[in-house]
Amino acid sequence: MVKAYSQEHTYKHPWERVTSASWRKFADPENKHTLSHILQVDTLNHELDSDSGKLYTTRAITIHAPGPWFLRKIVGQDICHCVESTVVDAKTRSMQLATMNISLQKYVEVEEKIRYDPHPDNPNGWTICRQETSIRIKPLSKLASMAEKIEQKCVEKFQQNSAKGREVMERMCKYLEAESSSRARGISV
């Protein structure tokens, strides 16, 4: 059984600011408390394709993912390692992220896709974020009702973390907006 959900959010900030915030959200010390489930982020690879102008990046993300006590007892850990692949196309103003877990795969598969594009109603001022997440608990598939409950709890946790992520993105966008305004006036932030 797979639990899947999608969310859409409009940032009332231009695409360039939102994508800058996306890159910086994990590194900003003020976000450590809100994103306390993110333990470490390391860039593994980045490449700029000179022909297409696209930026390709791969990052390793380590997450504290506590589940129900009985699930932790079965799995034996509450740390999950993920890989995030990002493609940024500045020409079309599109940023696409795909993240999936590489540890705990024999127990759970999680895949998250996020896309940032200019909002069709205000392409120079707003950005639309579309997020799709799928979660599949594997060893319990024969016990469908239990697997379904665990998947639902995972979805709820992912949705809570998504809300935290949007909060951080909004804060980063406002910071970048203030930074940009200050630079335009010749003031250092």
Side-chain angles (χ1 to χ4, degrees):
M1 176 133 216
V2 175
K3 279 281 187 195
Y5 70 93
S6 59
Q7 301 180 96
E8 206 170 269
H9 180 74
T10 299
Y11 291 100
K12 295 192 176 179
H13 298 277
W15 179 84
E16 292 78 6
R17 184 177 303 141
V18 172
T19 54
S20 291
S22 177
W23 288 118
R24 293 171 65 171
K25 69 182 175 188
F26 296 130
D28 191 301
E30 287 195 28
N31 298 332
K32 295 287 186 202
H33 178 70
T34 306
L35 299 176
S36 60
H37 62 289
I38 305 293
L39 301 177
Q40 188 169 335
V41 179
D42 296 300
T43 300
L44 303 176
N45 183 41
H46 61 275
E47 177 185 336
L48 180 62
D49 183 320
S50 57
D51 294 332
S52 69
K54 293 180 181 177
L55 174 65
Y56 297 89
T57 303
T58 305
R59 299 195 292 186
I61 302 173
T62 303
I63 298 171
H64 180 241
W69 67 269
F70 62 88
L71 195 56
R72 280 196 314 270
K73 191 159 182 83
I74 294 169
V75 174
Q77 68 185 60
D78 58 2
I79 302 296
C80 183
H81 300 283
C82 303
V83 172
E84 174 193 83
S85 300
T86 304
V87 179
V88 179
D89 187 340
K91 290 177 185 174
T92 63
R93 297 172 73 206
S94 174
M95 180 179 194
Q96 298 176 49
L97 300 93
T99 308
M100 65 186 312
N101 63 304
I102 56 170
S103 65
L104 307 177
Q105 284 186 331
K106 67 180 183 178
Y107 302 106
V108 62
E109 286 181 350
V110 178
E111 184 176 15
E112 177 184 54
K113 293 180 182 180
I114 298 176
R115 184 178 174 117
Y116 298 102
D117 294 296
H119 195 288
D121 295 341
N122 186 352
N124 293 318
W126 296 352
T127 304
I128 190 157
C129 171
R130 294 181 178 96
Q131 175 186 13
E132 298 175 4
T133 305
S134 65
I135 300 167
R136 179 174 167 233
I137 303 294
K138 291 172 112 178
L140 302 174
S141 58
K142 291 176 178 64
L143 305 170
S145 65
M146 182 180 278
E148 192 171 327
K149 288 175 186 168
I150 294 170
E151 286 168 344
Q152 185 58 42
K153 288 288 184 194
C154 290
V155 166
E156 290 167 10
K157 189 67 174 171
F158 261 83
Q159 288 174 330
Q160 290 169 2
N161 288 340
S162 293
K164 290 178 184 179
R166 286 190 300 276
E167 175 187 326
V168 164
M169 287 288 291
E170 288 288 355
R171 185 170 44 243
M172 289 301 302
C173 285
K174 288 176 182 166
Y175 172 81
L176 292 169
E177 181 178 32
E179 184 180 75
S180 177
S181 296
S182 295
R183 262 196 244 133
R185 293 190 313 261
I187 302 169
S188 176
V189 175

